[in-house]
Amino acid sequence: MDNMKHFSFIRLLSIILLAAGLLAGSCRKAFLDQKPSTDLLIPNTMTVFQELLDNTQVMNISPGIGEVSADNYYLTYATWVGLDTKEYNAYIWAPDLYEGQGLVTDWDIPYQQVFYANTVLQGLTGIQTDTTNQAQWNMLEGEALFTRAFAFFNIAGLFAEPFDSATAATDPGIPIRLTPDFNAKTTRSSMQASYTQLLNDLHTAEGLLPTAIPFTNLNRPSRPAAQALLARIYLSVGDYTDAGLYADSVLQTYSFLLDYNDIPDTLSLIPIKNNMPEILYQSNFPLTGNVLEGILCSGCLIDTNLLFSYAPNDLRRPVYYTQIKSDSFTLKGSYSGTVFPFAGLATDELYLIRAECRARAGQTVNALSDLDSLLTHRWRTGTFTGYPISSVAEALDTILVERRKELAFRGLRWSDLRRLNKEGWGIMLNRNLNGVPYTLPPNSELYTLPIPPDVIQLSGIMQNPR
Amino acid sequence: MGLLKPAVPFLLLMGLLQSRPLLCQSPIRITLTETGAPFSKFLEDLHEKFGISYSVISDVAEQGHRVSFSVKDASLKQVLDICFKGQPFTYKMVDGGISIRPFATKSMTVHGQVFDGKNEPLARVTVRVRGDAAAAVATDDNGEFTVSTHEQDPLLIFSSVNYELQELRPKEGKDMTVQLQEKVNELSEVVVHTGFQDVHRKSVTGSVDDVNNELINRRVGPNILERIDGVTSGVLFNTNIAVGTNQSTITIRGRSTIFSNPNPLVVVDNFPYSGDINNINPDDVESITILKDAGAGSIWGALSGNGVIVITTKKGKLNQAPRLTFNTSETVGAKPNLYYLPILSSNDYINVEEYLFHQGYYNPTYYSPAHNALTPVVNLLYQDSLGQLAPAQAQAQIDALRGQDFRPGLDKYFYRPALNSQVSLNLSGGGEYDQYFLSAGYDRDLSNLDRNDYDRVTLNGANSYFLLNGKLELNTDLTLTSSTTVNDNPGGTNVNYPYAQVADAHGNPLPVAYGLNEPYIDTAGGGQLLDWHYRPLQELQNADNPTRLTDYRINFAARYTIRKGLDARAYYQFERGSSDNPNYQSQQTYYTRNLINAYTQNMNGVFSYPVPLGGILNENSSSYTSNNVRLQLDYNDSLFRHGLLNLIGGAEVRDLEGESTNLQLFGYDPGQEIGVPVDYVDLFTQYSNGTALKIPYNDTKLGTSERYISYYGNGVYTYLGRYMLSVSARRDESNLFGVNANQKGVPLGALGGSWQISKESFYHWNWLPLLKLRITDGYNGNVDRSVSAYTTANINPQSNTFGAINASIINPPNADLRWEKIHILNFGTDFSTRNDRFGGTFEYYMKTGLDLIGQSPVDPTTGVTSFTGNTANIRDRGVDLSLHMNNSFGEFRWNSILLFSYVRDKVTKYNQQLATVNGYFSTGTLNPLLGRPLYSVYALKWEGLDHQTGDPKGYLNGSAQSPGQVTENYNSILFSSDLSNLIYKGPVSPPYFGGWRNDLFWRQWGLSFNILYKMGYVFRRGSIDYTDLFDGVSPGHPDYDRRWQNPGDELRTNVPSLPVPNLTANQPRDNFYKNSEALIEKGDQVRLQDVQITFDINRSAHPKLPAQQLRFYLYANSLGIIWKANHAGVDPDFISTIPNPRTLALGVKASF
C-alpha cells in the first residue's frame, strides 16, 4: 500500500469524525429538545394556566354523593338494586359505602381541582409581573385560590363532621394540600385549620378577582362569586352575621332574578337555556352515577312532600320536574341549561341566605321582602301576594321551606340537614324499599361520609367513625 | 502476517489493520540455511520466518527436489533463484508472496456453456483451471466461456455464489456442457440482511429467520407483510384485535411491552420504514429477514424491542444482459357470508318487540319530546293501540314483516365478489461497472364492499455504479407510490332490527328506522325541513370518501474501499408521504341533512339555517417527512492464523416529522371548492328535542416529531470456522420530552457465541454433517413517547361549555422516566443430515421486559389517581422449532416444512389492580393483572340457572377453604373487589402455533399447501344480551330460542330466561351471564390456509418459447377450518366478525 492511499483514508476519517463531532455538540442538544408532539404543553405560561382553569370537566364539578344521600327524591326497589355499590349504599346510609372500591369521584375530583389550582399557583410564582400582565396574574391567582377553597369546602361538607366552633381546634378536618408535588404526604388538618385555610384563600381571592361577573365565561369566578361562596360557607358553619353580610354585598351590586313567566316553554326538557343570568359561577354534578342523571334517570322520583309543597301557580314545578307516570315525577334539565344538575352559585341562593340571616336576626320585614322579591319571579304573574306571617319563627320556617323548594337538587340539602339538625331541628330521614324501612336519625355519625378506602390505604390518614 | 505491533489492537478497533507491514515498508533481507530440506519445508520456512506467503498446488510442490544452501542478508529474489534452479517448475513474485507454477507447455483451449438446474444459461460463473492461476474467466450472458491453459489434462473449477462448486476435466476437442446445482444447504451461504450489513447465515449467532424470494412469491396480494404469515416460526398474526387494547397485528415471539409501541420495527433496505406498508409492491422485494433475539436485533437498539422485519428490495446484477420480468394475476374473492354472524330471526325479534310493547317498555321513548326512532313494528303497535289503523290491519302488516330478512338486500346491494388485478414489470441487468433494476407495478383492488376500491401505482429505480476499479460504489434508489382508496361503503346499515329492508323490489332505496321516529319526521317542520329519512342504500350511492396517498423515497448510498477489507459507507434516505382524505357529504347525505335540520331555527314561522344548506366537507390531510443519515466503517480481515474478524461501527441520525390537519367546511360547493362561514360560538336549540348545542367544530392541526441520534457497533470473530463470538452495542438518544440529557440515551447490546460441533475432529456422526449450537444474551429496547418527565398538559379536543380552549394535565412529572428494556436470552441449535435431506432449527428463549411503562396507584388526594412510569415487568418463555425435509423419488420431489412455536407471557410486576372484578371484563382497555398473560380471558363462576325463575346463579367469595355463596345479586359479584371471584380461563393468543407446509414438484408442476394450527387458548363467545336486544343495540342472538322457559329447562340450557324489562336489573344480570364460564370456548383450531399450483416452461426445454421462462400459477387462499375444538359454530379467528372469504388467483409470470 502506498502513502497516497494512507493519506486519503486519514482525510476521510477526519471528515467522518467531524460529522460525528457535530452530533455531539450543542446542535445535538437542540436537535433532541424538540417536542414530540405539538399538543404537548408545559404549564409555565399564563395562557396555559388559564386553559387549565377553564377545563370545566375538572374545575366546575361538584361532588354529588350528598344529594344522593339526601331526601329530595326516592327510588323504586328495582332501580335501587341496579345502582352501583356507592350509590346503592349511600341511598340507605349504609356504614360502608364503598365495600372496598376506591376511585371515588366525590373525593378524587375536588382534589384534582386542588392539584390543578396548586399547579397554577406554583407556576405563577415563576412569572415576572409588570403593569401589562398584573391584572391577568391577579385574576389567575384569584381563580386558583377560589377553586381550591371551593374544593376544600365541598370535601369538608361530606367527609368531615359538621363544623362546631367549640371543638374545631381538635376535631379532625380534611387534608389540606398546598403543593402540586404528588410525593408530599397527605395528612388531615384540624377542622379549624381546614376552615381557616379555605376562608383565607377565599378572602385573598375576593381581593384579586375582577368585580365584573364574566357572563360569557361563567366557569370563571369573580369577586361576587367569591362573596357568594363566602356567604354559603358562613351559613353552613352557622355564622349568620357574616353569611348575611356577604350575601348582601353581592346583591348590592348584582341582584338579577329571572322571571319564570319569561321562560318560553316551561314544558320542554331544558326550559332554562344556557347562560342563565342568575348564575354567578357555574358548577355541576358529574354524570358518573345513576341517581343524578337529571332527565336521563327515569327511576329517580321526586319526593312527594317536596313536590306537593309547590303551589299550583308556582312555575318552579313544571320548570324543574316532569311527570313520567300518573303519580311520579322526575328531574329535568337544570339551571345551567344542560342535563347536568346545577351546583354552582346564583343570586336566588343569596336572596334566601340574606332572608334567612335577616330572619334569624329578627328583621322579619326585610327577610320577607327578600322572599317576596324571589317568589314574585317564580309564580305566575300577579298570583303571589305574600305569605301571611307574623312571628320571627314562622318567617324562618317559611324561608327554610322555600329554600328547599328553590334550591332542590342544587347540592345544598345535605349541608342544610347537617347544619339544621345540629341546631336541633330534628329532621329524620326515612326510606322504604320493598317494605324494609331505613332511617337516618339527626346528628348521626353517618352524616359524615367515610373517606374512600384507597385513600386510607395509600395515605394512612385517619378514617371517620361510622 | 501474524506479527502485530502493540498498537495494532487499538487500531484494529478503529478498523485500521495494517496486515502486511513488512512487505510494504522495506525490502526483506533473508538469512537462512537449508540442508537437504524437502522443497515444501523450504517454502514453510520462508513463510514462517519471513512472512512470505505462497500459492502452490500440493502435488507440484512434492515433485520438487530437495534444496541445500546458506544465505545471509540476501534478497528474496536471490534466494528464490538459487532454489528454483533445476526444479520442474518456476515462480513468479506477486503482491505479498510468490506463486509457484509449472513451466509452460503446450496450451489447450476449452470452450463450453454453463447452465443452472433449470437449464437456464448461467452468466458470470467463474471458470478457473487448477494450478493455472492465470487461466480464469467468467461466463458471458449466454453462459458460454472459452479458457486457455498450459496445464495438461486440466481440471476446470466452476464456481458462483449460490451454486455448488463443480470440478470437471474437459475432453480434448469437445465443447463442455456444465450444469451447476443451486446450493441447498441454506445455512451455508444464505445472506442475511440486518439493515446494517449483509452477513452469511453461517456467521450469525442470533435468531434470524429469512423468507426467500420463492416463498415471498408463493402468495398473491398487494401487502408485503402478509407474505410472512404462516411461513416463519415465532411470528404470529393476531386476529380479533380489540380496539383500545394496544394489541399489535404481528407479534414476534410474544409480548414484551404493555402500553408502549407493540409493533415490530419494519426496515426497508437500510432504514426504518415510515410510510404505509401497503406502499411497498411485493414484486419489488427480494427477501425478508426477521430478527428475533437480542443477538440479531439489538443493533437496532431502542427500536428493536418487538423484533425487526427487514425487507430487502431487488437490485440489478453486474454483467447481466437486460432481463425483463412480467407478472400479472387476477384474484377473485367470494362474497362474505352474511349468515355467519348469529342473529335473532325476524319472527322472534318481533315477538320480543310485542312483549316489550305490552310491558309499556317503549312509552318513555314514544312519548319523549326527543322523538327517537322506534322500529316499524313498534310504531304499528302504537298506531293500533291508539286506534289510528283499522282493526287487524296492524297485525297483518306486522305478520308481513315476520317473513323479511335484511341480509339478502344487504348481500345484493352492499356486497359483490372481490376482484384484484395486479400487473408488474421490471427490467434488470448490469454492465461491467453498473447495475440497474427498474420496475413498475399497478394494482387494482375491487373489494367485497361495493364501491370500495383501491388502486396503486408503484415505480422503482435502483442503480449502482462501481468506480475507481470497484473501490467506490454508488447506489441510488428512487421509489414512488401513489394510491387511491375509496371508502364509500361502511358495510352496514346502522340499524339492528332483522326485518329492515334497504331497497324495494325495483331497487329503490327504502328508509329504515334510524335517528328520529318516523311519525315525527313525517310531520316536523311542515315542509320547511329537508327530508329527514335515513336510507342506507342512498347513503351508499351518495358517499364520496376517497383517500389519496403519495409516497416517495430517495436512497443514496456510497461505499469506498479504503483498502482491502476496510470499507467506509455513507447512507442517506429521504422519505416523504402525504395522504389526503376529503370526505364530501353532499346535502343528499343523511349526515348533512340531519345536521342542517337539527340546527334549523323556527322563529315564529321564519326558518333559518345556522348549518347552511349545501354539502359538508371534512378533509383530513397528513404528511410525514423523514431524513436519515448514517456513516459506517466496515472491517473484514483475518485475525490470528485461522481467524476472521468482521467489524462494523457507525453513527446515525434520524428525524421523522409528521403533520396532520383537519378541515371542515359547511355549505360546501364542490364545483367552486368553497364553504360558508358558520357561527361556532352560539348555542342553537335543536329542532327535535329543545337542547342547545353548538355547531360541531372539527378543525385541528397537530405536528409530531421523532428524533434519534444513535451510535452502534457490531463485531463477529470466527475462529477455525467453527467458533464464533459476536458482540453488538448501540446507544440511542431521542427527544423524550423533558428527560435530562443523560437519561435521553440508552445503551443496549448483546453478546453471542456459536460452536459448529460438526467441524470438530472428534465429531463422527457422519449422518449429521451439520450440528451447531448458538447462544446470545442481551438487551433490546422500546420507547413510549407519550410520557414525559415534566408536568405536561394537553389541549382538550373540545372547547368548554363557554367556548374557551382548555387543557388537561396528563401526568404528574416523572423525573426518573427511562426507556423500556427487553432482556433476551436465546439458545439455538441448527442441524441437518447429508445433502440436507432432513434438518432444522430449534431455539429456546427467555425474554423479560424490564422497566416497562405501567400504571401505579397514587393516593387520589394528590390530585392524580394513577401514575404512569417504569414500573412493570413481563416475562416470556418460548420455543421455536423448524424442521424441514427434502426428498426425491425419481422426477418427484417433496419438500416439507414443519413449524412449531410455543410462547407464554406473564405479567411479573404490576402495581395497579382494578377496583372491581367487573373492570377486567371491559373490552376497550388493557387491564394487566399480576401473574397472568397480558391478554387473558377471565370469567365468573357459573352455577347454572335458577329452577324457579331461569335467572343465572353466580358465586361469591369462594376460596380453597370455603365454598363461597351462591347468589343472584349480580352486582355484588361484578363490583366485588375480591379478585378471587375472577377465574382465569386462558390466554387470548394461542401459546402453541405453527404450520406444516408441503411443496411437491413433478416435472414442470409444483403444488404447495400450507396448514396452520393454533392451540391452547380460549375465547368468549357471544350470546343473548337482553339489555342490548331491548335497546335495539343488537339484533339479538339465536341462543334466545334455547332460553329457559319452564322449570326444568335449567337442566338442558344455560341461556337465562326472558326478563321483565328493567334496565337497572337486567344489565347486571346480562353482564354476569355474558362474562360467565358458560360462554368460554376453546380456541384450538387447524386450518388449510392456502394452496398454490405452478407450471413452469423453460426455453431450454422448448426452444421456440418466446420467453426464457414462463410460469403459470393458481393460488387459493383462506380455504378454511379443517378442525376446531369449539362446537359453537364459531371460527376462532373471527369471533365477532365475518370470516375472510375464500379467494382464488390465476397468474402468469414471464422472464425475457
Side-chain angles (χ1 to χ4, degrees), chain B residues 233-510:
Chain B
S233 65
V235 178
L236 182 67
F237 279 63
N238 293 307
T239 55
N240 303 309
I241 293 172
V243 177
T245 61
N246 199 29
Q247 200 175 2
S248 58
T249 322
I250 302 174
T251 313
I252 297 176
R253 288 189 159 186
R255 176 73 174 219
S256 45
T257 185
I258 298 177
F259 295 106
S260 303
N261 170 32
N263 299 306
L265 174 70
V266 176
V267 173
V268 175
D269 290 332
N270 304 313
F271 292 107
Y273 191 65
S274 313
D276 180 351
I277 197 69
N278 284 312
N279 290 336
I280 296 171
N281 186 349
D283 274 338
D284 289 343
V285 173
E286 177 63 32
S287 70
I288 299 176
T289 307
I290 299 159
L291 313 177
K292 299 198 283 192
D293 70 344
S298 65
I299 189 79
W300 284 104
L303 301 170
S304 63
N306 306 305
V308 184
I309 298 172
V310 184
I311 295 172
T312 308
T313 59
K314 287 179 179 162
K315 301 280 178 285
K317 280 178 183 164
L318 285 174
N319 299 312
Q320 193 197 48
R323 190 182 178 124
L324 192 67
T325 307
F326 171 75
N327 185 16
T328 180
S329 68
E330 289 289 330
T331 306
V332 286
K335 277 187 176 182
N337 175 15
L338 297 181
Y339 294 86
Y340 173 79
L341 296 177
I343 63 166
L344 213 50
S345 71
S346 296
N347 187 42
D348 279 341
Y349 193 89
I350 290 172
N351 287 343
V352 172
E353 290 194 311
E354 287 180 333
Y355 163 73
L356 293 173
F357 174 78
H358 293 303
Q359 297 273 338
Y361 179 79
Y362 299 109
N363 286 351
T365 316
Y366 189 79
Y367 293 112
S368 156
H371 311 295
N372 285 328
L374 289 164
T375 63
V377 166
V378 176
N379 278 323
L380 282 168
L381 290 169
Y382 274 106
Q383 286 173 9
D384 187 42
S385 72
L386 298 171
Q388 294 165 351
L389 288 173
Q393 199 188 332
Q395 209 50 52
Q397 289 190 28
I398 289 172
D399 287 343
L401 295 174
R402 288 179 194 275
Q404 289 187 1
D405 189 326
F406 77 102
R407 291 171 294 192
L410 203 60
D411 187 65
K412 182 172 177 187
Y413 294 106
F414 281 71
Y415 289 89
R416 64 181 174 193
L419 182 66
N420 305 349
S421 316
Q422 182 256 326
V423 190
S424 79
L425 192 67
N426 69 56
L427 179 70
S428 71
E432 208 176 333
Y433 302 112
D434 67 302
Q435 59 190 35
Y436 54 89
F437 176 85
L438 304 168
S439 79
Y442 176 69
D443 284 79
R444 177 152 179 79
D445 182 348
L446 307 177
S447 104
N448 275 310
L449 291 162
D450 196 20
R451 288 177 58 94
N452 280 4
D453 311 333
Y454 172 70
D455 53 296
R456 177 182 75 185
V457 175
T458 56
L459 293 172
N460 185 5
N463 286 284
S464 303
Y465 307 95
F466 297 85
L467 309 170
L468 307 175
N469 280 333
K471 273 179 189 281
L472 182 64
E473 178 185 344
L474 299 175
N475 297 296
T476 59
D477 194 346
L478 245 146
T479 311
L480 176 75
T481 306
S482 168
S483 73
T484 305
T485 311
V486 177
N487 191 14
D488 287 352
N489 186 340
T493 59
N494 271 337
V495 294
N496 291 304
Y497 58 102
Y499 51 89
Q501 295 293 298
V502 293
D504 65 13
H506 308 291
N508 299 314
L510 287 178

Side-chain angles (χ1 to χ4, degrees), chain B residues 641-706:
Chain B
R641 194 146 170 202
H642 298 286
L644 265 172
L645 183 69
N646 170 276
L647 286 174
I648 64 164
E652 66 177 356
V653 180
R654 171 170 166 76
D655 181 6
L656 173 64
E657 306 284 325
E659 201 175 271
S660 70
T661 318
N662 261 309
L663 172 74
Q664 178 178 250
L665 293 173
F666 288 99
Y668 181 71
D669 174 357
Q672 303 192 60
E673 301 199 315
I674 53 165
V676 172
V678 297
D679 176 356
Y680 286 121
V681 178
D682 289 317
L683 290 154
F684 296 101
T685 306
Q686 300 294 288
Y687 196 92
S688 65
N689 63 16
T691 54
L693 294 174
K694 290 175 197 165
I695 295 175
Y697 178 76
N698 287 329
D699 295 5
T700 58
K701 189 172 162 60
L702 181 72
T704 57
S705 174
E706 249 184 75

Side-chain angles (χ1 to χ4, degrees), chain B residues 65-86:
Chain B
H65 310 303
R66 288 171 182 270
V67 291
S68 299
F69 67 90
S70 181
V71 293
K72 195 177 179 192
D73 237 11
S75 75
L76 179 61
K77 189 169 187 321
Q78 289 171 328
V79 176
L80 294 177
D81 284 343
I82 296 168
C83 300
F84 276 80
K85 201 170 180 182

Side-chain angles (χ1 to χ4, degrees), chain B residues 189-264:
Chain B
E189 284 301 338
V190 167
V191 172
V192 171
H193 306 273
T194 67
F196 286 87
Q197 59 183 148
D198 297 342
V199 290
H200 286 289
R201 178 81 207 222
K202 62 185 175 191
S203 56
V204 170
T205 58
S207 178
V208 172
D209 255 350
D210 32 51
V211 181
N212 63 22
N213 197 247
E214 185 68 19
L215 210 45
I216 289 172
N217 289 333
R218 199 179 156 275
R219 283 181 89 139
V220 178
N223 182 300
I224 181 66
L225 288 183
E226 280 174 6
R227 308 283 175 114
I228 61 172
D229 187 9
V231 298
T232 49
S233 65
V235 178
L236 182 67
F237 279 63
N238 293 307
T239 55
N240 303 309
I241 293 172
V243 177
T245 61
N246 199 29
Q247 200 175 2
S248 58
T249 322
I250 302 174
T251 313
I252 297 176
R253 288 189 159 186
R255 176 73 174 219
S256 45
T257 185
I258 298 177
F259 295 106
S260 303
N261 170 32
N263 299 306

Side-chain angles (χ1 to χ4, degrees), chain A residues 1 9 28 33 39 101 186, chain B residues 16 563 733 794 859 975:
Chain A
M1 192 182 286
F9 165 63
R28 168 173 157 264
D33 276 348
D39 66 351
Q101 293 178 33
T186 298
Chain B
L16 261 175
R563 56 166 192 69
E733 297 176 352
N794 240 342
D859 168 17
F975 293 107

Side-chain angles (χ1 to χ4, degrees), chain A residues 87-347:
Chain A
E87 291 195 343
Y88 176 95
N89 288 318
Y91 185 68
I92 54 167
W93 314 292
D96 181 7
L97 287 190
Y98 317 109
E99 298 181 20
Q101 293 178 33
L103 299 181
V104 177
T105 48
D106 305 273
W107 180 278
D108 298 354
I109 290 181
Y111 276 109
Q112 196 182 359
Q113 294 162 359
V114 171
F115 172 57
Y116 275 47
N118 284 333
T119 302
V120 171
L121 291 171
Q122 191 185 57
L124 283 172
T125 59
I127 304 275
Q128 289 288 328
T129 54
D130 53 43
T131 49
T132 61
N133 65 11
Q134 187 66 51
Q136 194 193 358
W137 194 97
N138 286 353
M139 189 174 80
L140 291 169
E141 177 93 358
E143 283 185 30
L145 289 170
F146 173 92
T147 320
R148 189 169 76 181
F150 203 172
F152 283 150
F153 172 65
N154 281 334
I155 287 287
L158 295 171
F159 299 95
E161 292 168 38
F163 185 84
D164 185 335
S165 52
T167 56
T170 51
D171 285 343
I174 61 166
I176 295 290
R177 292 189 69 93
L178 304 175
T179 162
D181 177 9
F182 77 107
N183 292 313
K185 194 164 165 46
T186 298
T187 52
R188 276 182 87 158
S189 302
S190 74
M191 188 76 83
Q192 187 65 58
S194 303
Y195 274 86
T196 302
Q197 179 68 44
L198 70 91
L199 286 170
N200 281 346
D201 280 355
L202 218 42
H203 283 298
T204 314
E206 187 197 355
L208 291 165
L209 285 167
T211 51
I213 300 161
F215 288 110
T216 51
N217 291 93
L218 281 172
N219 62 307
R220 295 181 190 166
S222 55
R223 183 171 298 167
Q227 291 167 341
L229 182 55
L230 282 164
R232 182 187 280 189
I233 295 171
Y234 281 123
L235 186 82
S236 79
V237 299
D239 180 349
Y240 298 112
T241 315
D242 281 327
L245 276 174
Y246 278 103
D248 186 58
S249 305
V250 181
L251 293 174
Q252 290 294 330
T253 57
Y254 188 73
S255 58
F256 181 87
L257 284 172
L258 178 73
D259 190 338
Y260 280 17
N261 290 287
D262 294 340
I263 293 175
D265 181 8
T266 52
L267 295 175
S268 80
L269 285 178
I270 305 171
I272 295 166
K273 297 305 168 203
N274 257 35
N275 296 353
M276 158 70 162
E278 286 181 17
I279 297 178
L280 301 168
Y281 177 74
Q282 171 67 42
S283 183
N284 47 250
F285 296 135
L287 280 193
T288 51
N290 283 310
V291 169
L292 291 164
E293 284 187 8
I295 56 170
L296 301 174
C297 180
S298 55
C300 167
L301 308 173
I302 308 307
D303 180 73
T304 326
N305 290 332
L306 171 62
L307 199 66
F308 291 124
S309 67
Y310 295 96
N313 282 320
D314 193 333
L315 287 168
R316 286 178 295 191
R317 188 163 133 170
V319 168
Y320 292 175
Y321 311 115
T322 184
Q323 188 163 12
I324 59 159
K325 280 186 199 158
S326 59
D327 59 341
S328 45
F329 284 72
T330 185
L331 195 61
K332 292 211 293 190
S334 85
Y335 222 55
S336 57
T338 66
V339 295
F340 302 94
F342 178 72
L345 302 161
T347 49

